[in-house]
Amino acid sequence: MDQIDPHIADLIARGALFGINHSAGKDSQAMTIKLREIIPPDQLVLIHAELPGADWEGLIEHIEANSGGLPLYICRAVKTFMEMVEHRGMFPSPDNRQCTSDLKRGPIEKLVRRILRERGRSLYVNCVGIRAQESSKRAKATTFEFDARNSKAGREWYSWLPIHQMSEAEVWATIHGAGQQGHRAYAAGMRRLSCRFCIMATEEDLQTAGRLDPDGARLYATTERRLDRTMLMPKKGGQRVFLDELFGFAVPTPAA
């Protein structure tokens, strides 16, 4: 980062704790590299929301291997992704991303409150690796703002998108320039590293994930047919697509 935003410089000077939300994906990795250049290490922590059954293998090991010694805190929701799907009888959607709110954001905020208490701090900056290039919606995201909802009980809480203007090419250049590599799922063909079978994934990424994890592919495809609900939202004006059609195997439709 060539120039530090005055708001960020002031928060650094005031001793704020900066929490890096780290998924082990390329954007989180590049964000960590950039923030380590400008923020004292004792003001940085890594935070990872673990999703058993949905995560790629080796995420935590990958984060630790490229953390530069920063402390890593891990949280986990009381339910898994599939337990949430079964309870609701449907998959989350882009407009109702319960997987993000219940399995990631909620547990992370609870963990951060505990970290602040343990460290005797009240000033916090939540750092997220969202980039404008990813979608038109993310391009419109506010890059820095006061978080009134979490600024309670004496806390002063901010949200910051440090790499919002970085391109994908710049992200990879940052990673390789630091002598690091991305998680091995990228080398296997994945474009994004979210859940193995993500509701926001492209059909190409889902097909790659199905090739890499055929047991998981069959579980998700079978669940779709049993619930008669697709994980992917239909394209505008189009028909819904079941995962077994993408993966190229048949799943018996349950009898009525």
Side-chain angles (χ1 to χ4, degrees):
M1 294 182 178
D2 299 327
Q3 187 173 3
I4 304 177
D5 183 283
H7 295 295
I8 301 304
D10 177 64
L11 287 165
I12 294 173
R14 292 173 60 197
L17 184 67
F18 290 75
I20 301 174
N21 288 263
H22 207 314
S23 68
K26 64 184 186 299
D27 297 331
S28 301
Q29 193 170 343
M31 176 172 60
T32 302
I33 293 167
K34 289 295 186 181
L35 293 185
R36 287 180 59 210
E37 295 174 355
I38 64 171
I39 299 173
D42 63 344
Q43 289 178 244
L44 280 171
V45 294
L46 302 175
I47 297 174
H48 175 70
E50 189 176 28
L51 275 64
D55 281 340
W56 289 94
E57 293 183 2
L59 296 188
I60 293 173
E61 291 81 2
H62 180 76
I63 295 171
E64 290 178 332
N66 297 287
S67 69
L70 295 177
L72 172 61
Y73 293 85
I74 300 169
C75 59
R76 179 189 295 185
V78 296
K79 56 189 172 184
T80 67
F81 177 80
M82 272 303 184
E83 286 172 344
M84 181 187 69
V85 170
E86 294 290 351
H87 177 73
R88 298 179 69 237
M90 66 179 72
F91 288 86
S93 69
D95 292 332
N96 184 19
R97 295 178 62 179
Q98 193 178 21
C99 46
T100 298
S101 61
D102 291 13
L103 305 184
K104 294 183 180 180
R105 186 168 61 242
I108 285 173
E109 290 175 350
K110 181 179 179 180
L111 172 61
V112 168
R113 292 193 295 268
R114 178 173 66 82
I115 295 171
L116 291 175
R117 288 195 302 270
E118 291 175 352
R119 292 186 171 223
R121 293 176 182 254
S122 59
L123 184 57
Y124 182 72
V125 183
N126 186 52
C127 305
V128 182
I130 288 176
R131 295 184 299 107
Q133 189 186 50
E134 295 179 288
S135 69
S136 58
K137 182 177 181 180
R138 291 192 168 189
K140 299 174 184 176
T142 302
T143 57
F144 179 80
E145 62 183 342
F146 176 71
D147 187 338
R149 184 174 60 85
N150 280 302
S151 294
K152 299 177 180 178
R155 294 186 300 271
E156 187 179 344
W157 191 304
Y158 295 88
S159 294
W160 182 31
L161 310 181
I163 63 168
H164 189 250
Q165 295 304 313
M166 287 182 68
S167 67
E168 183 176 352
E170 289 171 328
V171 164
W172 283 117
T174 298
I175 292 170
H176 296 150
Q180 300 178 10
Q181 299 295 321
H183 184 275
R184 59 180 179 268
Y186 289 114
M190 295 296 294
R191 289 293 306 274
R192 294 180 66 247
L193 190 81
S194 48
C195 294
R196 277 173 292 168
F197 302 97
C198 177
I199 64 169
M200 306 293 290
T202 63
E203 292 184 2
E204 292 75 16
D205 262 4
L206 287 171
Q207 288 172 326
T208 300
R211 172 175 56 82
L212 297 173
D213 180 14
D215 290 339
R218 188 164 293 278
L219 170 63
Y220 276 69
T222 301
T223 301
E224 276 193 335
R225 289 294 186 180
R226 178 167 49 80
L227 298 177
D228 194 27
R229 299 276 189 168
T230 56
M231 190 179 79
L232 291 179
M233 294 294 291
K235 296 178 180 178
K236 190 173 182 179
Q239 294 183 337
R240 57 181 178 165
V241 177
F242 282 89
L243 289 175
D244 57 354
E245 298 167 344
L246 288 180
F247 297 146
F249 57 76
V251 174
T253 302

